[in-house]
Amino acid sequence: MTRQAFIVLAIVLVASMFGCEAFNSDNTPFEGFNEKDIPTLGLVAGAHEGIYEGTLMLADAESGCPTVTEAEGDAVNVIFDVIHSGDFISVKFEDGTEEHGKMVDSKVSLVKRSSDAVRMYHFEFEEGGIMTGAVEVLPVIAGDIGGEPCATYQIECTCGE
């Protein structure tokens, strides 16, 4: 009899816990705050974190280089959303893709793949919220990455946040 009473009591306690507001899993930010204001465990925002806006200028290109539609000297506007913590860097591109890397002496290299080409981004972060660098475009031929870049872009951005 005591075993059955204990089981009934345990069921009642568990059922009452699910109705408790303390177990509500809603993680919607409070009004007036955005997602960046929510603290994350173990990550501290680094000096180079923010939204970088600037230009990507085609410096050199061979004809027929895949994914390259600009003429030499043309510049296009770009936006990079950078997350920085310690030596960890994550960059979110305008198309929504994200790549991660390890920063060494304020520099990081990231690889962004597509079916036609591989783009190697080489970023350098400088004082005052400035990011410079280069992008090398390597063609993908029959599933293999070509040896030499067929195009090179120059990056110049400043941090807006």
Side-chain angles (χ1 to χ4, degrees), residues 59-129:
D60 182 37
E62 296 175 6
S63 63
C65 188
T67 71
V68 175
T69 57
E70 302 82 19
E72 285 185 30
D74 284 355
V76 293
N77 294 329
V78 291
I79 298 175
F80 302 104
D81 187 355
V82 176
I83 296 173
H84 173 221
S85 181
D87 60 357
F88 172 78
I89 290 282
S90 177
V91 176
K92 188 172 188 178
F93 297 88
E94 289 179 282
D95 64 359
T97 60
E98 224 173 310
E99 297 298 336
H100 317 286
K102 181 178 179 181
M103 179 180 277
V104 177
D105 297 331
S106 75
K107 297 178 183 178
V108 65
S109 292
L110 305 173
V111 178
K112 185 176 176 192
R113 293 174 174 82
S114 72
S115 60
D116 297 335
V118 171
R119 288 185 178 225
M120 302 230 3
Y121 288 81
H122 306 285
F123 296 115
E124 182 169 359
F125 295 90
E126 302 171 12
E127 294 294 322

Side-chain angles (χ1 to χ4, degrees), residues 16-18 38 50 52-53 55 59 72 75 85 90 93 103-104 110 116 138 141 147 152-153 159:
S16 68
M17 284 181 12
F18 286 111
I38 300 172
Y52 287 81
E53 297 183 50
T55 59
E72 285 185 30
S85 181
S90 177
F93 297 88
M103 179 180 277
V104 177
L110 305 173
D116 297 335
L138 302 163
I141 303 165
T152 305
Y153 290 88
C159 185

Side-chain angles (χ1 to χ4, degrees), residues 14 22-24 28 37 42-44 52 55 63-64 74 84 99 115 124-125 134 136 140 147 149-151 158:
V14 170
F23 295 99
N24 185 347
T28 306
D37 294 328
L43 291 178
V44 177
Y52 287 81
T55 59
S63 63
D74 284 355
H84 173 221
E99 297 298 336
S115 60
E124 182 169 359
F125 295 90
E136 296 173 327
V140 174
C150 61
T158 56

Side-chain angles (χ1 to χ4, degrees), residues 134-156:
V135 180
E136 296 173 327
V137 180
L138 302 163
V140 174
I141 303 165
D144 291 329
I145 300 172
E148 295 295 320
C150 61
T152 305
Y153 290 88
Q154 295 299 315
I155 302 169
E156 291 187 21

